[in-house]
Amino acid sequence: MLATSNDYLLEILREYHETEVRLEKATEKLNQIVETQFHLSQAEIDMAAFMQLVTDKMLTLTPATGAVIELMEGDEMVYQAASGSAHQYKGLRLNLFSSLSGLCVIDRKALISEDTANDPRVNPEACKKVGAASMVVTPLYEEGNVIGVLKIISDTPHAFDDEDLKTLEMMAGLIGSAIGRKIRMQEKEDLLAAKSLTLMQLEQEVAQRKQIEEQLKASEMRTRRIIESSHEAFIAMNSSGFITDWNPKAEETFGWTATEAIGRKLSELIIPSGLRERHELGMRKFIETGQGIVLGKRLELLALNIKGEKIPVEITISAISAQEQWQFCAFLHDISERKQTEQKLRHLAQYDSLTSLPNRALFYDRLNQALARSHRNQTLFALMYLDIDHFKSINDTHGHGVGDELLSAFSSRIRLIIRESDTLARLGGDEFVIIAENISVQGDAEHIAQKILWAMKQAFQLNELSIQVGTSIGVALPPPHAVNADDLVKMADKALYSAKAAGRNTYRVYKETNQAAEKPFR
């Protein structure tokens, strides 16, 4: 029995020693990263030399065989600094939409390619050049905007693990802030980004070992300074859902001061009423099972500010066990501006920039919907194809500026005539189309065409110019048999050219039985 007890004690001592060694290595790695970041932040060198020094350091902090800093220039990612196997390719340009670096910028998150030979996201030609069999990339942020990426590569697949990813993310936080500081001559810039979460996790591990209490205190002080100066809102709460930490950026983002927020229920403060029950259920499930589907993920959610307004935020949540209690930490930032930009981009993709009318892509989408509704509900609608008579001669005589004004005025006048439920779109040049749904008979469409022709009798007043124009209109109604959008557009186009052949400034209705009307008069 004594021998068995001794063996058991020896095994416990061995496991304790291994744990101590692992923690010492983790602490040593963390100190090395922090020391590297400190020296880099203090370096009084120009930007090019600074970025080169960063890539050189990445080769000592990770098992990488090459390291690169890429910055965005328009739709391209440009190698601004490179070390190791990528050194000779400084200046290399990659298309933003066909490389892992570009995807990292677009998705605003770190990405890893464990085997580039079997990864469709990477640029295979560039990987072959720099000898990248595996790689990790993370975004570089400057004042909340992604300006480029920090990338490490290896000439062997599966060369990197989660620790390398954390190291890369921590270094990326320094580079982004340093670029902002050096470009804008600022004294300080945030080093938080992905660094804070990793530091906190490591610090919680260190806290469990009394032998390194002094190191833990130093780490906690560093973390507090980072959180207080962070450009992301930091919120912590206990397992009961009460807020325990609320940094200055959280005050700025949501409006409540730390004094007002700490001690209150998070769900009652910033979570919209429709999401509170799901939030509470998720917390209870995690505490009971240790599983949470949102932990460690970057999510986009709506949150409430002090005015009761809903604002879109990007949030990353982690759970840390301390003294047999769960502590939940979240990093959030307001993405209202980004959402507005995305909305503008969607608008640009679907609407004409000159007239603000639906463009060709959106028109075809609505036409296909109209065809489906017509077939499903057995209702009638009309497609009208029209252009401005002799528009080219107006452009040639008065210039494209006047031509653009005329196009805008022409579309505005038509919008006053048609119903709100009708769709007016610009296909390009002086070509417009109208989808008039829910009509009873062909005569309803002809009535709309007559109203448009009548409205064009009044001259357009464009500054000091008075311009009289006419319009030719082709009308097509879906035939009894099945027809697709392209066929219906062709029918209306043929009717338009029949109107032109009839002397312009008139309309014609497409009829399948009229063979002459089916031939374009180009």
Side-chain angles (χ1 to χ4, degrees), residues 24-240:
E24 287 177 355
K25 287 182 178 179
T27 303
E28 182 181 353
K29 180 65 173 293
L30 176 60
N31 288 336
Q32 185 182 6
I33 292 171
V34 172
E35 183 181 357
T36 299
Q37 291 179 337
F38 175 78
H39 288 307
L40 287 172
S41 65
Q42 299 298 314
E44 296 297 333
I45 54 180
D46 62 35
M47 183 58 66
F50 173 81
M51 290 191 293
Q52 187 60 48
L53 183 58
V54 169
T55 57
D56 292 342
K57 287 291 185 181
M58 292 309 301
L59 299 184
T60 63
L61 295 174
T62 69
T65 57
V68 179
I69 291 177
E70 301 176 40
L71 299 182
M72 285 196 300
E73 289 186 10
D75 289 341
E76 292 183 318
M77 301 295 297
V78 183
Y79 280 32
Q80 298 289 351
S83 297
S85 60
H87 176 71
Q88 60 179 315
Y89 295 103
K90 183 179 177 182
L92 179 66
R93 293 177 176 270
L94 302 176
N95 187 280
L96 179 67
F97 304 102
S98 60
S99 67
L100 194 65
S101 299
L103 184 60
C104 172
V105 168
I106 295 169
D107 289 352
R108 299 170 66 90
K109 65 181 181 181
L111 299 174
I112 183 167
S113 177
E114 297 183 343
D115 186 356
T116 60
N118 297 298
D119 192 336
R121 301 173 300 171
V122 306
N123 185 314
E125 184 178 343
C127 288
K128 185 176 180 181
K129 277 185 179 179
V130 302
S134 59
M135 69 174 77
V136 183
V137 291
T138 192
L140 295 177
Y141 290 92
E142 195 271 313
E143 292 190 348
N145 297 314
V146 180
I147 59 173
V149 300
L150 176 61
K151 176 167 67 180
I152 54 175
I153 61 178
S154 175
D155 54 10
T156 59
H158 306 283
F160 303 111
D161 57 21
D162 289 342
E163 291 301 319
D164 299 320
L165 176 59
K166 292 176 182 177
T167 299
L168 192 68
E169 289 179 325
M170 285 191 286
M171 292 301 295
L174 169 75
I175 298 165
S177 62
I179 290 175
R181 178 175 61 84
K182 290 178 180 291
I183 291 177
R184 302 176 184 276
M185 303 298 292
Q186 295 177 347
E187 293 294 327
K188 293 181 180 179
E189 185 65 30
D190 174 51
L191 304 181
L192 184 58
K195 173 180 176 181
S196 299
L197 182 58
T198 304
L199 286 174
M200 290 173 59
Q201 291 171 336
L202 291 175
E203 287 164 4
Q204 292 299 329
E205 267 187 60
V206 174
Q208 298 174 15
R209 299 294 182 269
K210 293 182 180 181
Q211 296 84 349
I212 50 175
E213 285 182 354
E214 291 301 319
Q215 294 175 347
L216 172 62
K217 291 178 183 179
S219 297
E220 287 176 344
M221 291 177 62
R222 285 197 300 270
T223 301
R224 174 47 51 189
R225 286 196 296 269
I226 291 172
I227 289 174
E228 292 299 320
S229 62
S230 172
H231 286 276
E232 287 194 345
F234 175 80
I235 301 173
M237 67 177 180
N238 61 24
S239 57
S240 299

Side-chain angles (χ1 to χ4, degrees), residues 387-391 394 430 469-472 500 504-506:
D387 65 10
I388 300 174
D389 293 335
H390 306 294
F391 179 72
I394 296 173
D430 64 326
V469 300
T471 180
S472 299
K500 288 184 177 294
R504 301 178 188 270
N505 200 31
T506 186

Side-chain angles (χ1 to χ4, degrees), residues 148 203 357 438-439 444:
E203 287 164 4
L357 295 176
N438 298 318
I439 62 175
D444 293 342

Side-chain angles (χ1 to χ4, degrees), residues 399-415:
H400 291 284
V402 171
D404 287 347
E405 290 182 33
L406 177 59
L407 290 170
S408 295
F410 180 82
S411 64
S412 297
R413 188 173 293 182
I414 292 177
R415 273 188 287 197

Side-chain angles (χ1 to χ4, degrees), residues 343-355:
Q343 179 63 31
K344 289 178 182 177
L345 290 175
R346 282 193 293 270
H347 187 275
L348 289 173
Q350 295 182 322
Y351 290 86
D352 175 54
S353 59
L354 176 64
T355 62

